[in-house]
Amino acid sequence: MLKVDSQPNEDRTLTLKVEVSEERVKPALESAARQLSKRYPLPGFRPGKAPLAAVRRQFGEQALYEIALDELGPKIYEEALDQEKIEAYAPGALTNLQLSPMELTFTVPLKPEVELGDCRAVRVEFTAPAVSDEEQGRVLDSLRERQAVLEPVDRAAQMGDQVSLDINGFLNEGLNPSDFLLADKDVSTQLDVTVEWPMKGFADQVVGLKTGETKKFDLPFPEDYANEALRGQPAHWEVTVKEVKSKTLPEWNDDLAKSLGDYESLDDLRTKVRQDLENQAKRTSDREYGDKVLNEVVTAASVKYPPVLLEQEMDDILHNLDHRLRDQGLTLEDYLKIEKKTREAFREEQKPNAEERLKRALVLGKLVELEGIDLEPQDVLGRIEQLSAMWGERADEMRKALNVDATRRSLTVDMLTERAMQRLMAIARGETVPDPAPAAPPAESPAAEQSSENA
């Protein structure tokens, strides 16, 4: 039996000191000596046959113990956990080593401790989303715009026309290449006061020009422009009109509606456009309302977790960012160079975001547990079918790819989180919800799942 001393810490870790007997240390050192002398044979000895003392003189204690601990350390750690009946929530770490007698000190991450307030008493004002006639009208106008007829005209450009332009834009009279804002040819744009590309007021300056005419003009950047360095500065523009086209919009009728998609009539188009807008408004409203409700619950909760979970959350943020950047032909390292930041500094910047994400995940995991929210196996299979169907002819291929243990676990966490959020929002709106189900095995939160995958 191992001699073990364990001390709990405030940060949901356990300091585990384990004294290792000489009977366990010596064989491990001898094995390490064989490995070293096999890899680096000593003069006068066959590979792997040099005695421990000779190897110690040649390579030193540090090299021997490093190799010995690669094999002995994990075994001792697992034995100590089993002996003391300690459940590690994530991989532990060797934090200190005493050689004689050998004593290994491990830091063991423990399960997060989450204490929720009275979630069933949470109330957050809710306003049902509404879609205005104006919003519906804008979508319908956009659909009709796609069917507009463009015809070249021999006259000066007017508001509403489509024009083709050669454009040069720069600052400071264009003395330096870095001063150029835009240099492009045959740019097609619509003259509309609501269109602020390339900047507000540009369309007004083009109105009145005929094909082949050139105009030079200045426009100041607004004082509230997103790029602070450009606020108030004049932009110098040189524009040549290459072509002017008038735009004629078709009249609304059933035939136009049918040409726009799977619509039976103009009334059917209007109905379905409103339904789509209402569904979109509900999704947006649910997301924003859910954030408010969850923030209330997280604020009232006490959440303690081992530091390794926060490190894993920051790893996840950086990994996801790198993945998105690669889709754009960049890497995280490229991005950091552009931002002139070190990886360490950027990682530290992500800490508040990581802390918020982790707390929300742990709170939702606890809510799933307390409310007894559960899934049936067919629920997850149904989600897999739903996701697979989106791939059309490749549905069978995608179904097989998704129906694996890791993906099923991930989908289970996602679906439990969704159900927890729906339950929480219903409570916050004052709706009648089912009583908590009988105690079930604790559900894994996203943070818990990530930890188990990294173990």
Side-chain angles (χ1 to χ4, degrees):
M1 179 177 289
L2 297 170
K3 185 177 179 181
V4 179
D5 176 58
S6 60
Q7 295 292 331
N9 303 311
E10 289 293 325
D11 62 357
R12 295 300 296 159
T13 62
L14 192 72
T15 298
L16 194 67
K17 294 184 179 181
V18 186
E19 189 173 313
V20 186
S21 66
E22 182 64 22
E23 289 77 12
R24 298 290 297 273
V25 175
K26 188 174 180 181
L29 291 175
E30 288 173 343
S31 174
R34 288 193 294 272
Q35 294 179 54
L36 266 175
S37 63
K38 186 175 182 179
R39 195 181 310 162
Y40 307 105
L42 272 66
F45 299 98
R46 286 181 296 162
K49 299 298 182 180
L52 175 58
V55 176
R56 181 184 281 115
R57 285 194 300 272
Q58 178 70 20
F59 297 103
E61 294 276 5
Q62 186 69 25
L64 274 171
Y65 274 94
E66 284 180 1
I67 295 175
L69 284 174
D70 283 343
E71 181 177 349
L72 183 62
K75 290 181 179 178
I76 295 296
Y77 179 70
E78 292 299 330
E79 287 179 28
L81 292 181
D82 186 58
Q83 176 181 304
E84 301 298 307
K85 295 181 172 52
I86 297 169
E87 293 186 14
Y89 192 74
L94 178 65
T95 54
N96 193 40
L97 167 63
Q98 176 184 295
L99 295 184
S100 184
M102 179 181 278
E103 184 180 79
L104 306 180
T105 302
F106 299 96
T107 297
V108 184
L110 300 178
K111 181 179 179 179
E113 189 178 82
V114 182
E115 295 182 7
L116 302 183
D118 186 0
C119 294
R120 294 233 163 191
V122 171
R123 294 293 183 271
V124 176
E125 184 179 354
F126 175 74
T127 303
V131 174
S132 67
D133 292 341
E134 289 75 13
E135 290 176 275
Q136 181 187 31
R138 283 194 292 270
V139 174
L140 291 171
D141 287 344
S142 176
L143 290 172
R144 186 167 64 149
E145 287 277 351
R146 299 175 189 175
Q147 305 299 314
V149 177
L150 297 176
E151 296 179 317
V153 291
D154 185 18
R155 59 165 173 74
Q158 301 174 0
M159 280 295 178
D161 286 346
Q162 194 82 13
V163 293
S164 178
L165 308 170
D166 288 348
I167 307 175
N168 288 301
F170 45 87
L171 298 172
N172 304 321
E173 304 296 339
L175 298 178
N176 301 305
S178 61
D179 292 331
F180 276 91
L181 299 170
L182 180 66
D184 212 341
K185 293 183 178 296
D186 298 317
V187 179
S188 182
T189 186
Q190 182 179 350
L191 298 181
D192 189 324
V193 291
T194 64
V195 176
E196 296 187 0
W197 183 91
M199 65 186 300
K200 188 175 182 179
F202 187 88
D204 292 315
Q205 297 293 330
V206 178
V207 167
L209 297 180
K210 294 183 177 180
T211 299
E213 291 184 338
T214 297
K215 183 178 181 180
K216 297 180 180 180
F217 55 91
D218 292 347
L219 285 175
F221 282 97
E223 293 298 334
D224 59 352
Y225 194 66
N227 186 337
E228 295 183 11
L230 295 178
R231 290 177 182 175
Q233 289 204 52
H236 309 282
W237 296 100
E238 182 177 313
V239 178
T240 299
V241 177
K242 305 293 286 294
E243 188 177 35
V244 178
K245 291 182 179 180
S246 67
K247 183 168 68 174
T248 304
L249 295 174
E251 293 295 326
W252 275 122
N253 53 44
D254 289 344
D255 289 337
L256 176 59
K258 292 175 183 178
S259 73
L260 292 171
D262 186 19
Y263 306 108
E264 297 178 357
S265 64
L266 179 57
D267 285 342
D268 184 42
L269 168 63
R270 287 172 174 156
T271 298
K272 289 180 177 177
V273 164
R274 181 169 284 273
Q275 287 175 345
D276 288 343
L277 286 170
E278 288 173 348
N279 291 336
Q280 181 180 341
K282 184 179 185 304
R283 288 193 296 270
T284 300
S285 173
D286 283 351
R287 184 176 61 253
E288 294 175 351
Y289 183 71
D291 282 341
K292 290 180 182 178
V293 174
L294 185 54
N295 285 339
E296 291 278 339
V297 176
V298 171
T299 300
S302 171
V303 184
K304 298 179 181 179
Y305 50 82
V308 66
L309 291 190
L310 183 58
E311 295 299 319
Q312 290 173 355
E313 194 69 38
M314 289 192 287
D315 287 342
D316 190 46
I317 289 175
L318 267 62
H319 173 79
N320 290 339
L321 175 59
D322 186 50
H323 185 75
R324 293 195 301 272
L325 289 169
R326 288 181 185 278
D327 288 341
Q328 302 171 29
L330 294 172
T331 66
L332 180 58
E333 298 308 318
D334 296 330
Y335 174 78
L336 293 176
K337 288 178 182 177
I338 294 170
E339 293 293 315
K340 297 180 180 178
K341 295 177 181 177
T342 65
R343 190 181 187 92
E344 293 72 21
F346 181 73
R347 181 184 177 85
E348 191 64 23
E349 286 180 7
Q350 304 310 307
K351 193 171 182 178
N353 180 31
E355 287 176 331
E356 181 181 358
R357 283 177 35 155
L358 181 56
K359 286 182 179 179
R360 289 163 71 97
L362 292 172
V363 164
L364 282 171
K366 188 67 174 181
L367 185 70
V368 167
E369 177 187 338
L370 294 179
E371 288 288 323
I373 298 171
D374 203 359
L375 294 173
E376 297 295 334
Q378 56 265 32
D379 295 331
V380 179
L381 294 177
R383 178 63 62 89
I384 290 175
E385 284 294 326
Q386 180 184 2
L387 294 172
S388 302
M390 298 169 60
W391 289 80
E393 295 179 356
R394 297 182 59 192
D396 288 340
E397 176 187 344
M398 186 54 57
R399 188 179 299 108
K400 291 177 182 178
L402 292 175
N403 196 13
V404 296
D405 288 345
T407 304
R408 285 197 299 271
R409 285 197 303 270
S410 178
L411 288 174
T412 297
V413 170
D414 290 344
M415 294 176 70
L416 286 171
T417 299
E418 291 169 9
R419 292 191 179 189
M421 283 300 305
Q422 291 300 323
R423 175 75 59 87
L424 200 55
M425 288 190 291
I427 290 171
R429 287 192 292 259
E431 299 174 6
T432 301
V433 297
D435 290 332
E444 281 193 314
S445 68
E449 186 207 12
Q450 184 184 62
S451 298
S452 63
E453 289 182 351
N454 291 334

Coordinates of all heavy atoms in Angstrom, one line a residue, residues 28-34 36 52-53 55-57 59-70:
A28 N 12.6 0.6 -11.4 CA 12.3 1.7 -12.4 C 13.6 2.3 -12.9 O 13.8 2.6 -14.1 CB 11.4 2.7 -11.9
L29 N 14.5 2.6 -11.9 CA 15.8 3.1 -12.3 C 16.6 2.2 -13.1 O 17.3 2.5 -14.1 CB 16.6 3.6 -11.1 CG 16.0 4.8 -10.3 CD1 16.8 5.0 -9.0 CD2 16.0 6.0 -11.2
E30 N 16.6 0.9 -12.8 CA 17.3 -0.1 -13.6 C 16.8 -0.2 -15.0 O 17.5 -0.4 -15.9 CB 17.3 -1.5 -12.8 CG 18.1 -1.5 -11.5 CD 17.9 -2.8 -10.8 OE1 16.9 -3.5 -11.0 OE2 18.7 -3.1 -9.9
S31 N 15.5 -0.2 -15.1 CA 14.9 -0.2 -16.4 C 15.3 1.0 -17.2 O 15.6 1.0 -18.4 CB 13.3 -0.2 -16.3 OG 12.7 -0.1 -17.6
A32 N 15.3 2.2 -16.6 CA 15.8 3.4 -17.2 C 17.2 3.3 -17.7 O 17.6 3.8 -18.8 CB 15.6 4.6 -16.3
A33 N 18.1 2.7 -16.8 CA 19.5 2.5 -17.2 C 19.6 1.6 -18.4 O 20.5 1.9 -19.3 CB 20.2 1.9 -16.0
R34 N 18.8 0.6 -18.5 CA 18.9 -0.3 -19.7 C 18.5 0.5 -20.9 O 19.1 0.3 -22.0 CB 18.0 -1.5 -19.5 CG 18.5 -2.5 -18.4 CD 17.7 -3.8 -18.5 NE 16.3 -3.7 -18.1 CZ 15.9 -3.8 -16.9 NH1 16.8 -4.0 -15.9 NH2 14.6 -3.6 -16.6
L36 N 18.7 3.7 -21.4 CA 19.7 4.7 -21.8 C 20.9 4.1 -22.4 O 21.5 4.5 -23.4 CB 20.1 5.5 -20.5 CG 19.4 6.8 -20.3 CD1 19.9 7.4 -18.9 CD2 19.7 7.8 -21.4
L52 N 23.6 -0.1 -13.4 CA 22.9 1.2 -13.0 C 24.0 2.2 -12.6 O 23.9 3.4 -13.0 CB 22.0 0.9 -11.9 CG 21.3 2.2 -11.2 CD1 20.5 3.0 -12.2 CD2 20.4 1.7 -10.1
A53 N 25.0 1.8 -11.8 CA 26.0 2.7 -11.3 C 26.7 3.4 -12.4 O 27.0 4.6 -12.4 CB 26.9 2.0 -10.3
V55 N 25.8 3.8 -15.5 CA 24.9 4.7 -16.3 C 24.7 6.0 -15.5 O 24.7 7.1 -16.1 CB 23.6 4.0 -16.6 CG1 22.6 5.0 -17.3 CG2 23.8 2.8 -17.4
R56 N 24.6 5.9 -14.2 CA 24.4 7.1 -13.4 C 25.6 8.0 -13.5 O 25.4 9.2 -13.6 CB 24.1 6.7 -11.9 CG 23.9 7.9 -11.0 CD 23.8 7.4 -9.5 NE 22.4 6.9 -9.2 CZ 22.2 5.7 -8.9 NH1 23.2 4.8 -8.8 NH2 20.9 5.3 -8.6
R57 N 26.8 7.4 -13.4 CA 28.0 8.2 -13.6 C 28.1 8.9 -14.9 O 28.5 10.1 -15.0 CB 29.3 7.3 -13.4 CG 29.5 6.9 -11.9 CD 30.9 6.4 -11.8 NE 31.2 5.2 -12.6 CZ 30.9 4.0 -12.2 NH1 30.4 3.7 -11.0 NH2 31.1 2.9 -13.0
F59 N 25.5 9.6 -17.2 CA 24.4 10.5 -17.6 C 23.8 11.3 -16.5 O 23.1 12.3 -16.7 CB 23.3 9.6 -18.2 CG 23.7 8.9 -19.5 CD1 23.9 7.5 -19.5 CD2 23.8 9.6 -20.7 CE1 24.3 6.9 -20.6 CE2 24.2 8.9 -21.9 CZ 24.4 7.6 -21.8
G60 N 24.1 10.9 -15.2 CA 23.6 11.7 -14.1 C 22.2 11.3 -13.6 O 21.4 10.6 -14.3
E61 N 21.9 11.7 -12.4 CA 20.6 11.3 -11.8 C 19.4 11.8 -12.6 O 18.4 11.1 -12.7 CB 20.5 11.8 -10.3 CG 21.5 11.2 -9.4 CD 21.0 9.9 -8.8 OE1 20.0 9.5 -9.2 OE2 21.7 9.4 -7.9
Q62 N 19.5 13.1 -13.0 CA 18.4 13.7 -13.7 C 17.8 12.9 -14.9 O 16.6 12.6 -15.0 CB 18.7 15.1 -14.1 CG 17.6 15.9 -14.7 CD 16.6 16.3 -13.6 OE1 16.9 16.4 -12.5 NE2 15.3 16.5 -14.0
A63 N 18.8 12.5 -15.7 CA 18.4 11.7 -16.9 C 17.7 10.4 -16.5 O 16.7 10.0 -17.1 CB 19.6 11.5 -17.8
L64 N 18.3 9.7 -15.5 CA 17.7 8.4 -15.1 C 16.3 8.6 -14.6 O 15.4 7.9 -14.9 CB 18.6 7.8 -14.0 CG 19.8 7.0 -14.5 CD1 20.7 6.6 -13.3 CD2 19.3 5.7 -15.2
Y65 N 16.1 9.6 -13.7 CA 14.8 9.8 -13.1 C 13.7 10.3 -14.1 O 12.6 9.9 -14.0 CB 14.9 10.8 -11.9 CG 15.3 10.1 -10.6 CD1 16.6 10.0 -10.2 CD2 14.4 9.5 -9.8 CE1 17.0 9.4 -9.0 CE2 14.7 8.9 -8.6 CZ 16.0 8.8 -8.2 OH 16.4 8.2 -7.1
E66 N 14.2 11.0 -15.0 CA 13.2 11.5 -16.1 C 12.6 10.3 -16.8 O 11.4 10.2 -17.0 CB 13.8 12.5 -17.0 CG 14.1 13.8 -16.5 CD 14.7 14.8 -17.5 OE1 15.0 14.3 -18.6 OE2 15.0 15.9 -17.1
I67 N 13.5 9.3 -17.2 CA 13.0 8.2 -17.9 C 12.2 7.3 -17.0 O 11.1 6.7 -17.4 CB 14.2 7.4 -18.5 CG1 14.9 8.3 -19.6 CG2 13.7 6.1 -19.1 CD1 16.1 7.7 -20.2
A68 N 12.7 7.1 -15.8 CA 12.0 6.2 -14.8 C 10.6 6.7 -14.5 O 9.6 6.0 -14.5 CB 12.8 6.1 -13.5
L69 N 10.5 8.0 -14.4 CA 9.2 8.6 -14.1 C 8.2 8.6 -15.2 O 7.0 8.6 -15.0 CB 9.3 10.0 -13.6 CG 9.9 10.2 -12.1 CD1 10.2 11.6 -11.8 CD2 8.9 9.6 -11.1
D70 N 8.7 8.5 -16.4 CA 7.8 8.4 -17.6 C 6.9 7.2 -17.4 O 5.7 7.2 -17.8 CB 8.6 8.3 -18.9 CG 9.1 9.6 -19.3 OD1 8.6 10.7 -18.8 OD2 10.0 9.7 -20.2

